[in-house]
Amino acid sequence: MSNTPSDDVVLLAHGSGGTLSRDLVSGTVLSHIGNPTLRRLDDSAVVEANGRIAFTTDSYIVDPIFFPGGDIGRLAVCGTVNDLSMVGARPLCISLALIIEEGFPTSHLDRIMESIHAACDESGVEIVTGDTKVVNRGKADKLFINTAGIGAIAQAIDVSGHNACPGDRILLSGTIADHGVAIMGSREGLSFSSEIESDCAPLNGLVSAVLEAGGNAVHAMRDPTRGGLASTLNEIAAQSGVSIRIEEGQIPVAPGVRGACEMLGMDPLYVANEGKLVAIVSPEVAPAVLEAMRGHRYGKSAIDVGEVAQGKPGRVTMRTLMGPTRLVPMLAGELLPRIC
Amino acid sequence: MSNTPSDDVVLLAHGSGGTLSRDLVSGTVLSHIGNPTLRRLDDSAVVEANGRIAFTTDSYIVDPIFFPGGDIGRLAVCGTVNDLSMVGARPLCISLALIIEEGFPTSHLDRIMESIHAACDESGVEIVTGDTKVVNRGKADKLFINTAGIGAIAQAIDVSGHNACPGDRILLSGTIADHGVAIMGSREGLSFSSEIESDCAPLNGLVSAVLEAGGNAVHAMRDPTRGGLASTLNEIAAQSGVSIRIEEGQIPVAPGVRGACEMLGMDPLYVANEGKLVAIVSPEVAPAVLEAMRGHRYGKSAIDVGEVAQGKPGRVTMRTLMGPTRLVPMLAGELLPRIC
């Protein structure tokens, strides 16, 4: 009978709003991520904010929920911290909403909550409000997580995908395609010659370094997640009404990741990242921003990969290693479902 | 082949982050709920806030997604508007995150987006940021929605489940159990003698009326959703360290709902509501607050149902129609899974 309480798995009754919901929240959630604001358990958290704030949301449905280099919990915190950071905001607080499949092991929930706690600590944010729902077995796949976040934007900051200007340099914080290949590898049970790990990381520290070095000359930032670097650059080119030109020879791909992509027939330009960013900055600050990025743990391999040009609005082109220039369109169709 | 674009159903590729994602967002989401902030499609929305803000989140997994009196979209907007309102906040903006099962009809998505649009209009909020994910067929149940919300709290307001004081009156805005019975009826295909509709509604207008009439003497508010009125009163009694006494004879239940509860063996005190609130206020303002509630379309049957007392912290009791007083514990186990 699924309504009998158990220490081992999540039951439908854990989503009832009654005593078992309270026990699950107190025992499994608050024990890992509790703080004075969250512990009040009112219908809304109350926080202080003044001026312009950033607000974002993402749901995480990654499969598998544990993968080399991270898990769905770390991904859910980092993804939202990064979305806030990409408009130049300092992340303040995050919400956490769980949709759990009946029968999900509470030991897994504990691991994920601990991972959420660690990612919050690393990025300096707190979970201040949340929600837990449980659906019948077979009506969801183990665990889906939604996080929303609020960040504070300093007065002078105006960073947006709409602000790229002809002449701007395109700076990439490191190797691409690590996350997607790690997920693909663990999902398919592939063994690569080297263990490939997701790059899943909170980028707010790196963004602080970028903004400190580049100030107002930082025009756009984005983390190339679903759809990869190619889709992100297409989005920015379209939003800003500019062309973008990149150099294939400049784009770093780890050798193991490159090999895996070749084996799997995937173009790394379209494979998701979860700990990388693209910063589009005025040419005069590009060297200083690049140096600042390289001084940060998540930007050691930062590199200038191309430029913004007048050209046809929305067009992204790449000068290939072989010499000729080719069009880099947005991802069409689906490469890897449930990558994040 | 599931990757072929189609006008009729949502495909895995609609969650890719590529061109089909863009098409789904532009065609189905923005066409209904677009506004200048949302249309920017940056990683975060940028909004203005000053002072104390309320922040909340809820995921909606209701089954079925269309039910008498509402649908999952209206529920998702109202639920978050209401959670913001219950701490005395004026809702400012909302996020919308969709998890869609592959094969979900786009016509249903259109209906739900239109319903979200109508609920936003009614409550005066905008969707400013969002996310769309698609999971393989059989890995989610049609559609799950998460909304998070931000609200502004006026300087003088301090409304919390922790603030109930002995002597306070307990005001209930109307009949209970309508939502849960409507869901149960439509799920089981039961035909009641009268059509029973969910009470799903945005309560921010009603809350404004309560605060205007009661000011600082409004100590706590909560909308009795999952777990019903009984669980909500237990939560407040525990948080505030007080006892609560209610009168069974005062609690309004529509005749059709009462009949359905008897038929189904459910106690209306534990059945979910989605358009009702409990306001706990100082006795001297209770008549004025009650009058203000009755003047609002969602508070016409508002009534004083009991009082806060010193007694044992966390205890809720009810004087029954038959005379004796009985304990009203928090919901144990599960009454109706996936009610919201």
Side-chain angles (χ1 to χ4, degrees):
Chain A
M1 181 54 198
S2 69
N3 279 358
T4 314
S6 155
D7 286 344
D8 302 321
V9 299
V10 174
L11 307 172
L12 268 182
H14 281 119
S16 63
T19 53
L20 278 177
S21 295
R22 189 187 56 194
D23 295 348
L24 183 71
V25 168
S26 305
T28 309
V29 178
L30 293 182
S31 65
H32 292 287
I33 59 167
N35 58 63
T37 311
L38 182 60
R39 280 183 194 282
R40 286 183 70 81
L41 295 179
D42 272 324
D43 283 336
S44 296
V46 178
V47 295
E48 284 282 337
N50 280 295
R52 286 182 308 151
I53 60 172
F55 179 35
T56 192
T57 188
D58 261 316
S59 293
Y60 298 86
I61 55 164
V62 65
D63 172 37
I65 56 174
F66 298 102
F67 49 81
D71 59 46
I72 190 171
R74 179 169 173 83
L75 197 61
V77 173
C78 295
T80 287
V81 162
N82 294 350
D83 279 347
L84 294 172
S85 304
M86 292 310 131
V87 297
R90 181 172 52 82
L92 294 175
C93 58
I94 279 185
S95 66
L96 176 72
L98 309 173
I99 298 176
I100 310 172
E101 184 187 11
E102 181 189 15
F104 188 71
T106 48
S107 60
H108 287 191
L109 202 55
D110 271 319
R111 264 177 76 186
I112 288 163
M113 287 300 139
E114 198 42 46
S115 168
I116 286 173
H117 179 213
C120 283
D121 270 2
E122 183 183 349
S123 43
V125 298
E126 281 188 339
I127 308 283
V128 296
T129 187
D131 177 51
T132 303
K133 294 290 193 311
V134 183
V135 297
N136 323 59
R137 204 181 286 264
K139 297 299 184 185
D141 191 8
K142 296 185 272 294
L143 177 66
F144 300 148
I145 298 182
N146 179 282
T147 49
I150 296 178
I153 307 179
Q155 204 48 47
I157 300 288
D158 180 20
V159 178
S160 162
H162 296 77
N163 295 354
C165 299
D168 282 354
R169 301 306 309 177
I170 297 168
L171 311 179
L172 173 63
S173 67
T175 56
I176 60 168
D178 302 78
H179 176 73
V181 168
I183 294 291
M184 188 68 167
S186 70
R187 193 185 299 169
E188 305 296 337
L190 302 174
S191 70
F192 303 121
S193 52
S194 55
E195 173 82 329
I196 294 169
E197 293 204 336
S198 166
D199 57 347
C200 181
L203 297 177
N204 52 325
L206 180 61
V207 164
S208 294
V210 166
L211 291 174
E212 207 170 303
N216 282 338
V218 179
H219 295 152
M221 287 189 284
R222 196 153 289 176
D223 54 336
T225 57
R226 280 187 293 179
L229 180 63
S231 300
T232 291
L233 293 178
N234 271 275
E235 282 169 20
I236 295 173
Q239 289 180 327
S240 296
V242 296
S243 282
I244 284 179
R245 297 185 197 139
I246 54 174
E247 300 279 333
E248 185 171 23
Q250 293 296 94
I251 295 171
V253 184
V257 171
R258 188 182 296 283
C261 282
E262 282 170 7
M263 191 176 89
L264 299 164
M266 300 191 303
D267 182 343
L269 282 176
Y270 292 91
V271 178
N273 311 277
E274 290 291 346
K276 297 295 158 25
L277 67 82
V278 172
I280 297 189
V281 307
S282 295
E284 64 275 15
V285 301
V289 172
L290 211 47
E291 196 185 323
M293 286 167 84
R294 288 175 179 158
H296 191 276
R297 63 181 289 206
Y298 294 131
K300 288 193 195 311
S301 328
I303 188 163
D304 183 324
V305 296
E307 63 179 359
V308 178
Q310 239 141 5
K312 190 179 170 204
R315 186 165 67 175
V316 179
T317 57
M318 180 169 75
R319 197 159 63 102
T320 61
L321 282 170
M322 317 298 278
T325 291
R326 72 165 171 90
L327 207 60
V328 179
M330 203 166 188
L331 175 65
E334 174 62 295
L335 196 64
L336 289 173
R338 299 185 60 190
I339 202 70
C340 61
Chain B
M1 180 56 197
S2 69
N3 279 359
T4 313
S6 156
D7 286 343
D8 302 321
V9 299
V10 174
L11 309 171
L12 267 183
H14 282 119
S16 63
T19 53
L20 278 177
S21 295
R22 190 188 54 195
D23 295 348
L24 183 71
V25 168
S26 305
T28 309
V29 178
L30 293 183
S31 66
H32 293 286
I33 59 168
N35 58 64
T37 311
L38 182 60
R39 281 183 194 281
R40 286 183 69 80
L41 294 179
D42 272 325
D43 284 336
S44 296
V46 177
V47 295
E48 284 284 335
N50 280 294
R52 286 181 308 151
I53 59 172
F55 179 33
T56 191
T57 188
D58 261 315
S59 293
Y60 298 86
I61 55 165
V62 65
D63 172 37
I65 56 174
F66 298 102
F67 48 82
D71 59 45
I72 190 172
R74 180 170 173 84
L75 197 61
V77 173
C78 295
T80 288
V81 162
N82 294 350
D83 279 346
L84 294 172
S85 304
M86 294 308 132
V87 298
R90 182 171 52 83
L92 295 176
C93 57
I94 280 186
S95 66
L96 177 71
L98 309 172
I99 298 176
I100 310 173
E101 184 186 11
E102 180 189 14
F104 187 71
T106 48
S107 61
H108 288 191
L109 203 54
D110 271 319
R111 264 178 77 187
I112 289 163
M113 287 299 139
E114 198 41 46
S115 168
I116 286 173
H117 179 213
C120 284
D121 271 2
E122 184 183 348
S123 44
V125 298
E126 282 189 339
I127 307 283
V128 296
T129 186
D131 177 51
T132 304
K133 294 290 193 311
V134 183
V135 297
N136 323 60
R137 204 181 285 265
K139 297 298 184 186
D141 192 9
K142 297 185 271 296
L143 177 66
F144 300 147
I145 297 183
N146 178 282
T147 48
I150 296 179
I153 307 179
Q155 204 49 46
I157 301 288
D158 180 21
V159 179
S160 162
H162 297 257
N163 295 354
C165 299
D168 283 354
R169 302 305 309 177
I170 297 168
L171 310 179
L172 173 63
S173 66
T175 57
I176 61 168
D178 303 77
H179 176 73
V181 169
I183 294 292
M184 187 68 166
S186 70
R187 194 185 299 170
E188 304 297 337
L190 302 175
S191 69
F192 304 121
S193 52
S194 55
E195 173 84 327
I196 294 169
E197 293 205 336
S198 166
D199 57 348
C200 182
L203 298 176
N204 52 325
L206 181 60
V207 164
S208 294
V210 166
L211 291 174
E212 207 170 302
N216 282 339
V218 179
H219 295 153
M221 286 189 285
R222 196 154 289 176
D223 54 334
T225 57
R226 280 186 292 178
L229 180 63
S231 300
T232 291
L233 294 178
N234 270 275
E235 282 169 19
I236 295 173
Q239 288 180 327
S240 295
V242 295
S243 282
I244 285 179
R245 297 183 198 141
I246 54 174
E247 300 279 332
E248 185 171 23
Q250 294 296 94
I251 296 171
V253 184
V257 171
R258 189 181 297 284
C261 282
E262 282 168 9
M263 191 176 89
L264 298 165
M266 299 191 304
D267 182 342
L269 283 177
Y270 292 91
V271 178
N273 311 278
E274 290 292 345
K276 297 294 158 25
L277 67 81
V278 173
I280 298 189
V281 308
S282 295
E284 64 276 15
V285 300
V289 172
L290 211 47
E291 196 185 322
M293 286 166 84
R294 287 174 180 160
H296 191 276
R297 65 181 289 205
Y298 294 132
K300 288 194 195 310
S301 329
I303 188 164
D304 183 323
V305 296
E307 64 179 358
V308 178
Q310 239 142 4
K312 191 180 170 203
R315 186 165 67 174
V316 178
T317 57
M318 180 169 75
R319 197 158 64 102
T320 62
L321 284 169
M322 318 297 279
T325 291
R326 72 164 171 91
L327 208 60
V328 178
M330 202 166 190
L331 175 64
E334 174 62 296
L335 195 64
L336 288 173
R338 299 185 58 191
I339 202 70
C340 60

